[in-house]
Amino acid sequence: MQEINNLWNILLEKLELSVSNVSFVMWFKPLKVIDLNDNNLYLGAKSTFAKNQILKNYFDKLKSAVDDVFGENIEIEILDPSEEVDYLSKNAPKTTNRDVEVNKNPFNPKYTFDNFVVGKSNQTAYAAARAVAENPGKHFNPLFIYSGVGLGKTHLLHAIGNYLRQENSNLKIKYVTCEQFTNDYIESLGSASKTKTYSEFRDKYRSCDVLMVDDIQFISKKISTQEEFFNTFNDLRERAKQVIIASDRPPDEIETLEERLRSRFKQGLTQDMQSPDFETRVAILRKKCQIEKYSITDEAISLIADRIDSNVRELEGMLSKVCFLSNLIGKTTADVGDAKEAFSDKYEEKNEGGSNADQIISAVCEYFDISRDDIVGKKKSKDIVEPRMIAIYMISEMLELPLVSIGKIFGGRDHTTIMHARDKISTEIKTNRKTQTFINEIKKMLTSG
Ligand code: ADP
Ligand code: MG
């Protein structure tokens, strides 16, 4: 079952953000999924010691990540190596990671140009990436791509890598994260280990035809790594070797970045990507279903695309979860019921104090003494418009509902209208005492029940 491995990878990504780097690398990352059987998730630990450490100190974190990603009815069983052998000898697991052959290709085979869905939000970045892949070193050097998390930067870098490997297998392509580059550099300086010397480091990075560095924002504050990267960069560029960089922010917003490096970054093409719109989100989900061979109804896809509107990684995570839950109860096609089920934990958590959109609307109407029909209706007079915007703001802030869903509540308004209303009030709160008071008093009405 491919979904299980996908979900496990999503879970690891989440854990990585919520635990310290050391505990992640020591305890969570080495865990292997052995099997998922009868609602039991069997995980293999590296040693009995590791197993006990996890049970003693990290189980709660692990459990809540499993609840979040796999659903709450899944029990965790951690096996040490001998228990694993035992388990495997008695059961033919439905899924296993152990026998996946080691893939020499550093690029994820699924991250290709073909699998990248192009929409308004990313079409220029996509075109630039393609141009660079087709003619490395000729067009934009460096190509600097930036976007918020989970919007496809790493996917595009891998797509360039996959394309180049296929079209031109003689090219030396190097893909590293900023972290890897930094660690490599630091190790090469350590005189204790003569196994990796600085000249080897230099050769490795300067002999490549295409160098890609992912998540460059982490270079901020690392002054000597910046220096080394600057030199590597210049050396490559002088010889028309292609450099491609991904970052979660533009060069100007990377703090304590040396000016000369900043201006180098800006020499080529700096291109951003935005969150995909609804249609693109649907197309991404469809593509994903095709790749992973998921079966799911259109209605369920729309629901997911409607409720998750910023991050493609989360979009994919939810799709896997929906298909997984549906599979678990023996269905062959996931439907909108499964999607609602998968969302239910998420939305209960967010409804602080049990306020839902209806309650918020009622409280706002009561406070301003207007009718429900008016607040969700079309009237444009000031005494209606302001309460309406306040209600929109409060629903968006307290329930974190997607804009599209809020638009539906308010008589099918467009999500951009909702966004403007929300943003207007969130600025007003900072400047206008009266707006502040309104909102505080309505909140009090809501919490006092
Ligand atoms: P980033 O590096 O920007 O944080 P990733 O490249 O890791 O984001 O993307 C997160 C996930 O979303 C990946 O599985 C990727 O394949 C997927 N993804 C992002 N954008 C797209 C897109 N336009 N089409 C298809 N999949 C996408
Ligand atoms: Mg990335």
Side-chain angles (χ1 to χ4, degrees), residues 323-346:
C323 295
F324 168 76
L325 286 178
S326 155
N327 216 306
L328 211 57
I329 53 173
K331 286 187 174 152
T332 47
T333 300
D335 59 27
V336 76
D338 301 317
K340 284 188 177 149
E341 176 72 28
F343 270 104
S344 62
D345 330 339
K346 206 176 171 109

PDB file of all heavy atoms in Angstrom, residues 323-346:
ATOM      1  N   CYS A 323      -8.236   8.935   1.230  1.00  0.00           N
ATOM      2  CA  CYS A 323      -8.212   7.651   0.529  1.00  0.00           C
ATOM      3  C   CYS A 323      -7.854   6.516   1.481  1.00  0.00           C
ATOM      4  O   CYS A 323      -8.390   5.409   1.399  1.00  0.00           O
ATOM      5  CB  CYS A 323      -7.232   7.695  -0.639  1.00  0.00           C
ATOM      6  SG  CYS A 323      -7.778   8.858  -1.895  1.00  0.00           S
ATOM      7  N   PHE A 324      -6.987   6.836   2.405  1.00  0.00           N
ATOM      8  CA  PHE A 324      -6.584   5.839   3.386  1.00  0.00           C
ATOM      9  C   PHE A 324      -7.768   5.436   4.281  1.00  0.00           C
ATOM     10  O   PHE A 324      -8.048   4.256   4.479  1.00  0.00           O
ATOM     11  CB  PHE A 324      -5.433   6.409   4.216  1.00  0.00           C
ATOM     12  CG  PHE A 324      -5.091   5.621   5.429  1.00  0.00           C
ATOM     13  CD1 PHE A 324      -4.379   4.432   5.321  1.00  0.00           C
ATOM     14  CD2 PHE A 324      -5.476   6.058   6.686  1.00  0.00           C
ATOM     15  CE1 PHE A 324      -4.060   3.699   6.450  1.00  0.00           C
ATOM     16  CE2 PHE A 324      -5.162   5.328   7.820  1.00  0.00           C
ATOM     17  CZ  PHE A 324      -4.454   4.145   7.701  1.00  0.00           C
ATOM     18  N   LEU A 325      -8.481   6.437   4.805  1.00  0.00           N
ATOM     19  CA  LEU A 325      -9.621   6.146   5.686  1.00  0.00           C
ATOM     20  C   LEU A 325     -10.687   5.344   4.943  1.00  0.00           C
ATOM     21  O   LEU A 325     -11.277   4.402   5.491  1.00  0.00           O
ATOM     22  CB  LEU A 325     -10.253   7.452   6.189  1.00  0.00           C
ATOM     23  CG  LEU A 325      -9.462   8.212   7.244  1.00  0.00           C
ATOM     24  CD1 LEU A 325     -10.172   9.508   7.612  1.00  0.00           C
ATOM     25  CD2 LEU A 325      -9.271   7.350   8.480  1.00  0.00           C
ATOM     26  N   SER A 326     -10.904   5.710   3.698  1.00  0.00           N
ATOM     27  CA  SER A 326     -11.922   5.051   2.913  1.00  0.00           C
ATOM     28  C   SER A 326     -11.539   3.587   2.651  1.00  0.00           C
ATOM     29  O   SER A 326     -12.352   2.673   2.782  1.00  0.00           O
ATOM     30  CB  SER A 326     -12.092   5.846   1.620  1.00  0.00           C
ATOM     31  OG  SER A 326     -12.587   5.055   0.616  1.00  0.00           O
ATOM     32  N   ASN A 327     -10.250   3.418   2.351  1.00  0.00           N
ATOM     33  CA  ASN A 327      -9.702   2.084   2.137  1.00  0.00           C
ATOM     34  C   ASN A 327      -9.836   1.188   3.365  1.00  0.00           C
ATOM     35  O   ASN A 327     -10.146   0.002   3.283  1.00  0.00           O
ATOM     36  CB  ASN A 327      -8.213   2.273   1.839  1.00  0.00           C
ATOM     37  CG  ASN A 327      -7.739   1.291   0.826  1.00  0.00           C
ATOM     38  OD1 ASN A 327      -7.939   0.102   1.018  1.00  0.00           O
ATOM     39  ND2 ASN A 327      -7.140   1.786  -0.238  1.00  0.00           N
ATOM     40  N   LEU A 328      -9.604   1.813   4.507  1.00  0.00           N
ATOM     41  CA  LEU A 328      -9.627   1.108   5.778  1.00  0.00           C
ATOM     42  C   LEU A 328     -10.996   0.480   6.042  1.00  0.00           C
ATOM     43  O   LEU A 328     -11.097  -0.577   6.649  1.00  0.00           O
ATOM     44  CB  LEU A 328      -9.309   2.128   6.881  1.00  0.00           C
ATOM     45  CG  LEU A 328      -8.587   1.673   8.119  1.00  0.00           C
ATOM     46  CD1 LEU A 328      -7.267   1.030   7.773  1.00  0.00           C
ATOM     47  CD2 LEU A 328      -8.353   2.873   9.027  1.00  0.00           C
ATOM     48  N   ILE A 329     -12.059   1.161   5.608  1.00  0.00           N
ATOM     49  CA  ILE A 329     -13.378   0.587   5.834  1.00  0.00           C
ATOM     50  C   ILE A 329     -13.860  -0.185   4.608  1.00  0.00           C
ATOM     51  O   ILE A 329     -15.045  -0.451   4.439  1.00  0.00           O
ATOM     52  CB  ILE A 329     -14.413   1.666   6.260  1.00  0.00           C
ATOM     53  CG1 ILE A 329     -14.426   2.827   5.275  1.00  0.00           C
ATOM     54  CG2 ILE A 329     -14.134   2.158   7.659  1.00  0.00           C
ATOM     55  CD1 ILE A 329     -15.542   3.841   5.538  1.00  0.00           C
ATOM     56  N   GLY A 330     -12.911  -0.521   3.744  1.00  0.00           N
ATOM     57  CA  GLY A 330     -13.191  -1.454   2.660  1.00  0.00           C
ATOM     58  C   GLY A 330     -13.832  -0.862   1.422  1.00  0.00           C
ATOM     59  O   GLY A 330     -14.339  -1.598   0.580  1.00  0.00           O
ATOM     60  N   LYS A 331     -13.810   0.478   1.302  1.00  0.00           N
ATOM     61  CA  LYS A 331     -14.410   1.058   0.106  1.00  0.00           C
ATOM     62  C   LYS A 331     -13.381   1.120  -1.024  1.00  0.00           C
ATOM     63  O   LYS A 331     -12.191   1.285  -0.771  1.00  0.00           O
ATOM     64  CB  LYS A 331     -14.884   2.472   0.401  1.00  0.00           C
ATOM     65  CG  LYS A 331     -16.152   2.509   1.255  1.00  0.00           C
ATOM     66  CD  LYS A 331     -16.556   3.878   1.289  1.00  0.00           C
ATOM     67  CE  LYS A 331     -17.538   4.642   1.714  1.00  0.00           C
ATOM     68  NZ  LYS A 331     -17.567   5.937   2.106  1.00  0.00           N
ATOM     69  N   THR A 332     -13.851   1.046  -2.260  1.00  0.00           N
ATOM     70  CA  THR A 332     -12.901   1.146  -3.372  1.00  0.00           C
ATOM     71  C   THR A 332     -12.774   2.575  -3.874  1.00  0.00           C
ATOM     72  O   THR A 332     -11.761   2.950  -4.433  1.00  0.00           O
ATOM     73  CB  THR A 332     -13.309   0.242  -4.553  1.00  0.00           C
ATOM     74  OG1 THR A 332     -14.693   0.451  -4.795  1.00  0.00           O
ATOM     75  CG2 THR A 332     -13.064  -1.221  -4.241  1.00  0.00           C
ATOM     76  N   THR A 333     -13.824   3.378  -3.680  1.00  0.00           N
ATOM     77  CA  THR A 333     -13.765   4.780  -4.098  1.00  0.00           C
ATOM     78  C   THR A 333     -14.097   5.678  -2.913  1.00  0.00           C
ATOM     79  O   THR A 333     -15.124   5.485  -2.259  1.00  0.00           O
ATOM     80  CB  THR A 333     -14.774   5.046  -5.232  1.00  0.00           C
ATOM     81  OG1 THR A 333     -14.426   4.203  -6.330  1.00  0.00           O
ATOM     82  CG2 THR A 333     -14.732   6.491  -5.682  1.00  0.00           C
ATOM     83  N   ALA A 334     -13.220   6.613  -2.640  1.00  0.00           N
ATOM     84  CA  ALA A 334     -13.468   7.533  -1.527  1.00  0.00           C
ATOM     85  C   ALA A 334     -14.514   8.556  -1.961  1.00  0.00           C
ATOM     86  O   ALA A 334     -14.484   9.041  -3.087  1.00  0.00           O
ATOM     87  CB  ALA A 334     -12.172   8.230  -1.142  1.00  0.00           C
ATOM     88  N   ASP A 335     -15.445   8.877  -1.065  1.00  0.00           N
ATOM     89  CA  ASP A 335     -16.464   9.857  -1.425  1.00  0.00           C
ATOM     90  C   ASP A 335     -16.462  11.019  -0.442  1.00  0.00           C
ATOM     91  O   ASP A 335     -15.621  11.104   0.452  1.00  0.00           O
ATOM     92  CB  ASP A 335     -17.842   9.192  -1.512  1.00  0.00           C
ATOM     93  CG  ASP A 335     -18.228   8.540  -0.193  1.00  0.00           C
ATOM     94  OD1 ASP A 335     -17.736   9.001   0.864  1.00  0.00           O
ATOM     95  OD2 ASP A 335     -19.003   7.564  -0.216  1.00  0.00           O
ATOM     96  N   VAL A 336     -17.432  11.896  -0.614  1.00  0.00           N
ATOM     97  CA  VAL A 336     -17.435  13.124   0.166  1.00  0.00           C
ATOM     98  C   VAL A 336     -17.616  12.840   1.666  1.00  0.00           C
ATOM     99  O   VAL A 336     -17.103  13.562   2.518  1.00  0.00           O
ATOM    100  CB  VAL A 336     -18.492  14.105  -0.417  1.00  0.00           C
ATOM    101  CG1 VAL A 336     -19.885  13.689  -0.042  1.00  0.00           C
ATOM    102  CG2 VAL A 336     -18.193  15.528  -0.044  1.00  0.00           C
ATOM    103  N   GLY A 337     -18.299  11.744   1.985  1.00  0.00           N
ATOM    104  CA  GLY A 337     -18.446  11.353   3.390  1.00  0.00           C
ATOM    105  C   GLY A 337     -17.084  11.059   4.012  1.00  0.00           C
ATOM    106  O   GLY A 337     -16.793  11.484   5.133  1.00  0.00           O
ATOM    107  N   ASP A 338     -16.244  10.338   3.276  1.00  0.00           N
ATOM    108  CA  ASP A 338     -14.897  10.035   3.777  1.00  0.00           C
ATOM    109  C   ASP A 338     -14.092  11.313   3.955  1.00  0.00           C
ATOM    110  O   ASP A 338     -13.326  11.467   4.903  1.00  0.00           O
ATOM    111  CB  ASP A 338     -14.150   9.122   2.795  1.00  0.00           C
ATOM    112  CG  ASP A 338     -14.891   7.812   2.569  1.00  0.00           C
ATOM    113  OD1 ASP A 338     -15.383   7.249   3.556  1.00  0.00           O
ATOM    114  OD2 ASP A 338     -14.986   7.382   1.406  1.00  0.00           O
ATOM    115  N   ALA A 339     -14.290  12.244   3.015  1.00  0.00           N
ATOM    116  CA  ALA A 339     -13.545  13.505   3.093  1.00  0.00           C
ATOM    117  C   ALA A 339     -13.972  14.280   4.337  1.00  0.00           C
ATOM    118  O   ALA A 339     -13.149  14.785   5.089  1.00  0.00           O
ATOM    119  CB  ALA A 339     -13.767  14.333   1.837  1.00  0.00           C
ATOM    120  N   LYS A 340     -15.280  14.326   4.593  1.00  0.00           N
ATOM    121  CA  LYS A 340     -15.760  15.050   5.786  1.00  0.00           C
ATOM    122  C   LYS A 340     -15.210  14.396   7.046  1.00  0.00           C
ATOM    123  O   LYS A 340     -14.795  15.062   7.984  1.00  0.00           O
ATOM    124  CB  LYS A 340     -17.283  15.071   5.804  1.00  0.00           C
ATOM    125  CG  LYS A 340     -17.825  16.066   4.807  1.00  0.00           C
ATOM    126  CD  LYS A 340     -19.322  16.244   4.940  1.00  0.00           C
ATOM    127  CE  LYS A 340     -19.784  17.311   3.960  1.00  0.00           C
ATOM    128  NZ  LYS A 340     -21.156  17.058   3.492  1.00  0.00           N
ATOM    129  N   GLU A 341     -15.231  13.070   7.038  1.00  0.00           N
ATOM    130  CA  GLU A 341     -14.698  12.310   8.164  1.00  0.00           C
ATOM    131  C   GLU A 341     -13.225  12.687   8.414  1.00  0.00           C
ATOM    132  O   GLU A 341     -12.816  12.957   9.533  1.00  0.00           O
ATOM    133  CB  GLU A 341     -14.819  10.820   7.810  1.00  0.00           C
ATOM    134  CG  GLU A 341     -14.240   9.853   8.803  1.00  0.00           C
ATOM    135  CD  GLU A 341     -15.071   9.766  10.063  1.00  0.00           C
ATOM    136  OE1 GLU A 341     -16.289   9.996   9.962  1.00  0.00           O
ATOM    137  OE2 GLU A 341     -14.486   9.496  11.129  1.00  0.00           O
ATOM    138  N   ALA A 342     -12.458  12.721   7.333  1.00  0.00           N
ATOM    139  CA  ALA A 342     -11.028  13.018   7.477  1.00  0.00           C
ATOM    140  C   ALA A 342     -10.814  14.432   7.992  1.00  0.00           C
ATOM    141  O   ALA A 342      -9.860  14.705   8.710  1.00  0.00           O
ATOM    142  CB  ALA A 342     -10.320  12.846   6.131  1.00  0.00           C
ATOM    143  N   PHE A 343     -11.716  15.321   7.656  1.00  0.00           N
ATOM    144  CA  PHE A 343     -11.581  16.700   8.114  1.00  0.00           C
ATOM    145  C   PHE A 343     -12.080  16.893   9.534  1.00  0.00           C
ATOM    146  O   PHE A 343     -11.750  17.885  10.161  1.00  0.00           O
ATOM    147  CB  PHE A 343     -12.376  17.647   7.206  1.00  0.00           C
ATOM    148  CG  PHE A 343     -11.587  18.182   6.055  1.00  0.00           C
ATOM    149  CD1 PHE A 343     -11.765  17.696   4.777  1.00  0.00           C
ATOM    150  CD2 PHE A 343     -10.652  19.182   6.270  1.00  0.00           C
ATOM    151  CE1 PHE A 343     -11.036  18.200   3.716  1.00  0.00           C
ATOM    152  CE2 PHE A 343      -9.914  19.691   5.209  1.00  0.00           C
ATOM    153  CZ  PHE A 343     -10.104  19.187   3.929  1.00  0.00           C
ATOM    154  N   SER A 344     -12.894  15.942  10.019  1.00  0.00           N
ATOM    155  CA  SER A 344     -13.617  16.255  11.254  1.00  0.00           C
ATOM    156  C   SER A 344     -12.702  16.574  12.429  1.00  0.00           C
ATOM    157  O   SER A 344     -12.927  17.551  13.120  1.00  0.00           O
ATOM    158  CB  SER A 344     -14.592  15.148  11.608  1.00  0.00           C
ATOM    159  OG  SER A 344     -13.869  13.961  11.831  1.00  0.00           O
ATOM    160  N   ASP A 345     -11.618  15.811  12.625  1.00  0.00           N
ATOM    161  CA  ASP A 345     -10.732  16.107  13.772  1.00  0.00           C
ATOM    162  C   ASP A 345     -10.175  17.509  13.629  1.00  0.00           C
ATOM    163  O   ASP A 345     -10.134  18.285  14.558  1.00  0.00           O
ATOM    164  CB  ASP A 345      -9.507  15.192  13.858  1.00  0.00           C
ATOM    165  CG  ASP A 345      -9.732  13.824  13.297  1.00  0.00           C
ATOM    166  OD1 ASP A 345     -10.910  13.438  13.197  1.00  0.00           O
ATOM    167  OD2 ASP A 345      -8.734  13.172  12.954  1.00  0.00           O
ATOM    168  N   LYS A 346      -9.798  17.831  12.388  1.00  0.00           N
ATOM    169  CA  LYS A 346      -9.151  19.100  12.139  1.00  0.00           C
ATOM    170  C   LYS A 346     -10.066  20.263  12.488  1.00  0.00           C
ATOM    171  O   LYS A 346      -9.660  21.224  13.099  1.00  0.00           O
ATOM    172  CB  LYS A 346      -8.816  19.143  10.653  1.00  0.00           C
ATOM    173  CG  LYS A 346      -7.657  20.012  10.319  1.00  0.00           C
ATOM    174  CD  LYS A 346      -7.354  19.894   8.842  1.00  0.00           C
ATOM    175  CE  LYS A 346      -6.322  20.933   8.485  1.00  0.00           C
ATOM    176  NZ  LYS A 346      -5.037  20.381   8.195  1.00  0.00           N
TER     177      LYS A 346
END
